[in-house]
Amino acid sequence: MPIAVRFPIFSETDDVYDNMYKNRSEIKDYSCIKKVFYTASKMVYENENKKSSNSTGSISGGGGYRGGATNISVSNEIKQEIDNKDNDRSALTDISDHWAEEYITALVKLGVVSGFEDGSFHPDASITRAEFASMLVTAFALTGEEDAADFTDCSEGDWFYQNMRIASSNGVIRGTDGACMPNQKINREEMAAMIYRLLKDQLGEATTAVVQFTDEEEISDWAFPAVKNLQTREIISGMPDGSFSPKTAVTRAQAAKVIHTAIQK
């Protein structure tokens, strides 16, 4: 069952919706509102293109939000801005013919990831725990900080502060001895654990199938159920040599593929 993005329910008044979109640059809570409304507009626009006989698109709420379907029309002005953004975002200089080009491009267009100022993406560079958690927060439009942990190494002035609190409140990230190690490179088993925590209720318990990796004994006990479940559901896969390499740092390309695959399940 495909999942695009989990949205809160929207107003059915087009003028209100349009005004919120046009004034989105003034909205401080970027992860909870600004990106959600851009993505919503984009999805409606793309739905219009697929269903030319219908002038409005339909978006369904889901996840932990008040779900429901609502029809929202997207003005020509917004459509043009979306087209312009897509053209700008797709011009990354170092992903052409890369194995993850499709996944990176898709997430860039959704605003989940972005390139650097020089136009590069560095697909094979490693990614930190804070960066990956932030990708999940944006990709799944997570909100809420009510139950967030007060991590000792996450301060209000840090760029990732709010995203880490949201990820913590949603059970995505857990600390060790009060620290969340935001700047530490995330490894493959940690990546699997974060995604599994987020999607556990949706995916259900893992099947009895055994993870077929040559190095599965190296997977930590706390991460094994996550790896087992996500591998069974083809959200993650192993390395070309048949191993999982649980302690190997995740690359930006690998993170893009896994998240893109997860939001399709």
Side-chain angles (χ1 to χ4, degrees), residues 243-262:
S243 66
F244 180 70
S245 298
K247 306 302 190 292
T248 299
V250 176
T251 66
R252 286 165 61 83
Q254 291 170 339
K257 178 185 177 181
V258 170
I259 290 178
H260 180 268
T261 303

Side-chain angles (χ1 to χ4, degrees), residues 122-128 131 185-186 249-252:
H122 300 175
D124 299 315
S126 58
I127 187 170
T128 66
E131 289 169 335
K185 294 178 181 179
I186 188 171
V250 176
T251 66
R252 286 165 61 83

Side-chain angles (χ1 to χ4, degrees), residues 18-35:
D18 255 19
N19 287 334
M20 289 191 74
Y21 183 93
K22 291 173 182 176
N23 293 299
R24 68 199 181 285
S25 62
E26 300 175 7
I27 298 173
K28 302 296 184 182
D29 194 351
Y30 193 86
S31 66
C32 298
I33 300 177
K34 186 176 176 185
K35 290 184 180 179

